[in-house]
Amino acid sequence: MEGLVIRHADVRRPDLRWPLPERMSERLSGQRVLRLRRRSKYILVDLSSEETLIIHLGMSGRILISEKPLGVFHHTLPAPEKHDHVVFEMETGARIAFNDARRFGAMDLAPTELVEAHWLLKDLGPEPLGNVFNEDYLEARLRGRNMPMKTALLDQKIVAGLGNIYVCEALNRAGISPRRKAGNLSRPQIARLVPIIRDVLNEAIAAGGSSLRDYRQTDGELGYFQHAFRAYDREDQPCRTPECDGTIVRIVQSGRSTYFCPGCQR
DNA sequence: ATGTGTTCCTGTCCGC
DNA sequence: TGCGGACAGGAACACA
């Protein structure tokens, strides 16, 4: 998309998680995509109109690209599939479809200059791969907090961009129980946790993400980080932490599955 | 101010 | 095969 004009945006339903913005198709069609960027789990599409399209994939959302092969005269792009809610036709003929069965995803338009003040973005914590997220910061944010570590790391106000899988994986690697009160971690534990979180994310990104069921990369390929899980989705299986002979258990914390090893995670 | 449970929606899987 | 229930990558919101 980057650098290309959106020939047409086909907005196929009025809402996702929330109503789509007013006159969305008109505000997107004919605009050039100046830049694609990201804040936390939000995809930001800067347009030549000085508006930015904000996209969140929710649980089941995906964006799939169908390229029009060069030099093929008679070539029809695939018809929209079920749950293709917004389809972008680019000037090159490529089709880019936002598909989201559960519709927990979202899109909105905001002035580029003000996009970080948008209500969905304004309270987000720092990027886990950035310099602001460090031992001092995390210690300060966890201090005095009574919530379990699992809940704290899922809280996008504390650190932005960690989801259920990567919180479970990071806590397992760090040897920290998901039930530990956030305010009770020792300073050395926090110091260990920060680089572990970065490692888990960097490894997952390098592996193309985690395909539990729906997730695909933009070219339709599966991610393969799920094969590297040490705890997540591995109930009753051996903990994969080196030297540990424990067994992964599944518990529920604030309504969501947590997988961890009671043997090595304290 | 914090912490927890509910809710949105569709699809899939498992036990009966 | 069909049916009901549990569960799924998220996170805003209402309520204690």
Side-chain angles (χ1 to χ4, degrees):
Chain A
M1 290 183 101
E2 203 164 41
L4 301 181
V5 168
I6 300 169
R7 190 186 289 156
H8 183 72
D10 186 12
V11 180
R12 304 168 57 80
R13 56 172 300 130
D15 57 349
L16 295 169
R17 181 168 182 182
W18 296 288
L20 289 167
E22 295 288 309
R23 302 177 42 254
M24 187 182 179
S25 176
E26 294 91 320
R27 288 159 76 184
L28 295 176
S29 301
Q31 296 305 317
R32 184 176 298 277
V33 174
L34 301 182
R35 195 156 87 100
L36 289 173
R37 51 198 175 109
R38 175 194 66 77
R39 170 73 173 109
S40 182
K41 297 174 191 172
Y42 294 89
I43 298 163
L44 303 179
V45 185
D46 292 337
L47 304 169
S48 45
S49 55
E50 300 188 24
E51 287 199 296
T52 294
L53 175 65
I54 302 167
I55 304 174
H56 196 295
L57 299 176
M59 292 267 231
S60 54
R62 50 172 124 164
I63 294 174
L64 292 180
I65 302 170
S66 307
E67 293 278 1
K68 186 173 186 170
L70 283 171
V72 179
F73 186 69
H74 289 293
H75 178 80
T76 38
L77 286 163
E81 303 219 6
K82 196 172 185 187
H83 307 306
D84 279 353
H85 304 312
V86 179
V87 180
F88 302 90
E89 184 196 338
M90 305 308 289
E91 61 179 335
T92 58
R95 281 198 357 158
I96 297 171
F98 176 92
N99 180 292
D100 184 9
R102 294 180 73 181
R103 270 184 277 125
F104 291 172
M107 286 196 199
D108 200 5
L109 277 162
T112 301
E113 205 178 351
L114 299 174
V115 72
E116 303 203 358
H118 189 277
W119 64 280
L120 288 168
L121 306 188
K122 67 183 175 62
D123 293 324
L124 291 172
E127 292 289 327
L129 299 179
N131 293 332
V132 175
F133 181 68
N134 58 30
E135 183 184 339
D136 287 342
Y137 168 83
L138 189 59
E139 198 274 335
R141 290 303 303 260
L142 298 182
R143 192 184 305 147
R145 301 300 293 265
N146 233 357
M147 55 169 60
M149 271 310 290
K150 167 76 184 314
T151 311
L153 293 183
L154 272 181
D155 185 343
Q156 305 294 298
K157 296 184 185 65
I158 295 178
V159 54
L162 296 181
N164 207 29
I165 291 172
Y166 302 119
V167 167
C168 290
E169 291 300 304
L171 288 173
N172 176 266
R173 291 192 189 194
I176 297 167
S177 168
R179 295 179 164 131
R180 273 288 287 279
K181 298 288 179 199
N184 282 359
L185 281 203
S186 70
R187 183 79 186 194
Q189 279 181 311
I190 296 172
R192 264 170 47 75
L193 181 57
V194 168
I196 285 173
I197 287 170
R198 296 193 213 276
D199 288 347
V200 167
L201 292 177
N202 283 323
E203 288 174 30
I205 291 165
S210 306
S211 293
L212 290 182
R213 39 190 70 93
D214 298 325
Y215 177 74
R216 294 290 184 280
Q217 304 184 62
T218 50
D219 59 3
E221 292 295 307
L222 297 171
Y224 50 90
F225 191 69
Q226 65 278 10
H227 303 302
F229 289 171
R230 295 189 191 181
Y232 189 84
D233 206 19
R234 300 193 59 248
E235 185 176 22
D236 295 332
Q237 294 177 247
C239 177
R240 287 219 184 99
T241 291
E243 317 288 305
C244 179
D245 61 356
T247 301
I248 301 297
V249 299
R250 174 185 175 272
I251 62 171
V252 174
Q253 292 179 290
S254 40
R256 311 200 58 194
S257 287
T258 297
Y259 297 87
F260 78 107
C261 173
C264 67
Q265 293 180 250
R266 299 295 174 171

